Amino acid sequence: MGIKITDKVSWVGKVDWELQKFHGEELSTHKGSTYNSYLIQDEKNVLIDTVWTPYRDEFIARLQETIPLDRIDYVVVNHAEPDHSGALPALMKLIPDTPVFCTANGVKSLRGMYHQDWDYRVVKTGAKLDIGSQELLFVEAPMLHWPDTMFTYAMGESILFSNDAFGQHYASESLYNDRVDQAELMHECLKYYANILTPFSRQVDRKIKEWAGLDLPLSMICPSHGIIWRDNPLQIVQQYIRWANNYQENQVTIIYDTMWNSTKKMAEVIARGISAADSDITVKMYNVGKQDKNDIITEVFKSRAVLVGSSTINRGILSGMAGILEEIKGLSFTNKKAAAFGSYGWSGESVKIITEELRAAKFEVINEGLKCLWTPDRENEARCYEFGQGIVAALEGWQKV
Ligand code: FEO
C-alpha cells in the first residue's frame, strides 16, 4: 500500500536499504537509497516515475494495492534513467494504452533503452495537464543531470516533483526531512551534488533562477531519491545555489597514493606545515588506494586547495591516483587551487604528470610541486613542512561562500 503524503498524493516507491553501489560500481551509497514514485489521485490519476528494475514486481504489487492499475490515466516520466524507469516496461505491459508524458529527449532515452512505442506525449516547459482539481505544470530541466530531465509541479498542492535534483542516496522509513538525522541528510545531499551534479552547476543555477522567476508557492519538494522536503523546502534550494556557485569551505584536502609510504610520509609532514601556518584551516588526508573515492571527491568539492601526491611507477603514477584524477577532471570543479607532490627512486615523473592533470582539470596550480628522492630524510621533511606553509601563503584571505 502506498503512503499518503497529502489527501491526493501517495508515495509508492521503494526503500533500498542494502544498496552500496550505484551507477554500476561507480558511486558508493553507504546509506542505501530510495526510488521514489508518486501517485496523484484526482479526477485523473497520475503516476510520476517508477522504480529500479530489480524492484519492479514489488512496485507493481504496491501500486495495485493502492489503485487498480486500469485506473491510472497518465504516466509521467520526469527522467528516463533506469533507477526511475526500470519498472516501466513491466507496468506498461499491464496498461499498454496509457499515455506517457515526458520530454522529447525522454522519448529518445526510453525508446533507446526499451525499444517500445508507447503513447508518448511530448511536453515542453510551460505545458500543463488538467487532472481535475488542479493542473500539472511541466518544466524542462536539461542536464539536471540528463538531457531528458524535467520537473513536474502540482499547481493545486504546490508540490514540486524534482526527480534527481534535491535528492540524496539515503534510505529511510521516515519519509520526511524533519524526521531524519540532519547531519547525515545534508552530508548525503552534498555527496550527491559533488559526485553527480557538479559538472552541471551552471544549469543548476540557471534553472533555480528561472524557477524563482515563476514565483510559485512551494509546500513540498518530492525528489526521486531520499526524503521529501516538507519542513522549509527552500533550504535545499538555497543550499544548491551555494553549491552551484564556486562553493568552498576553509579546507585543504591532501590525497595520495603510495607504494612504500614515502609519499604518505610527505603528505603527513605537509599537513603539519599547513596546520602550523593556519590552525583555522581544516586539513583532511586520504589514501586513494584505501579509501572510498566518492567520499574523497566530496571532500575535494568542499576544499579551497587540493594537494595530490603519488609515487612514480614505470614513468607514470599509481593507478588508483590516475583513476580518481580522471574522475575529478570530468567533474569540472571550479574555484580550487592545487599542487602536486611525490617520492621517487630514480626517474621521478609523477609530480610533472600530476601537475599536468591538475591543469587539465582546470585547477589553479600553485607551484611546480615537490619531489622527494627515496624516503624523506630530515632535510626533505623540512622541505615538505615548508611546502605546506607555502600552500597557506598562496591561499588568499578566507571568505565564506
Ligand atoms: Fe536517479 Fe539520474 O537517476
Side-chain angles (χ1 to χ4, degrees), residues 22 79 81 83-84 145 164 192 224-225:
F22 189 77
H79 173 36
E81 199 165 4
D83 49 325
H84 309 299
H145 66 124
D164 285 331
Y192 194 95
S224 58
H225 295 292

Side-chain angles (χ1 to χ4, degrees), residues 279-401:
S279 57
D280 288 337
I281 293 177
T282 300
V283 182
K284 293 192 182 179
M285 187 150 51
Y286 297 91
N287 179 333
V288 301
K290 294 185 177 180
Q291 287 162 294
D292 182 276
K293 81 177 161 69
N294 302 109
D295 292 339
I296 295 171
I297 283 169
T298 306
E299 298 302 329
V300 168
F301 177 73
K302 290 158 63 180
S303 298
R304 299 172 73 187
V306 184
L307 308 182
V308 180
S310 173
S311 330
T312 294
I313 182 170
N314 300 334
R315 297 184 176 278
I317 61 175
L318 292 172
S319 60
M321 182 56 75
I324 199 166
L325 282 176
E326 182 64 19
E327 188 150 347
I328 285 172
K329 196 161 47 179
L331 286 166
S332 305
F333 291 113
T334 58
N335 200 25
K336 312 278 178 221
K337 291 185 164 64
F341 64 95
S343 87
Y344 66 105
W346 50 102
S347 61
E349 288 90 346
S350 70
V351 167
K352 184 167 175 285
I353 291 168
I354 291 170
T355 299
E356 285 166 2
E357 287 293 302
L358 291 171
R359 289 204 171 102
K362 305 281 189 278
F363 285 79
E364 184 189 329
V365 175
I366 296 170
N367 55 43
E368 291 310 306
L370 181 65
K371 290 166 71 169
C372 175
L373 183 61
W374 301 112
T375 302
D377 56 12
R378 277 180 185 278
E379 188 183 326
N380 274 322
E381 281 195 23
R383 290 174 63 224
C384 291
Y385 192 84
E386 283 165 21
F387 184 78
Q389 293 188 309
I391 298 301
V392 175
L395 298 176
E396 287 122 31
W398 166 239
Q399 283 188 323
K400 196 172 189 306
V401 175

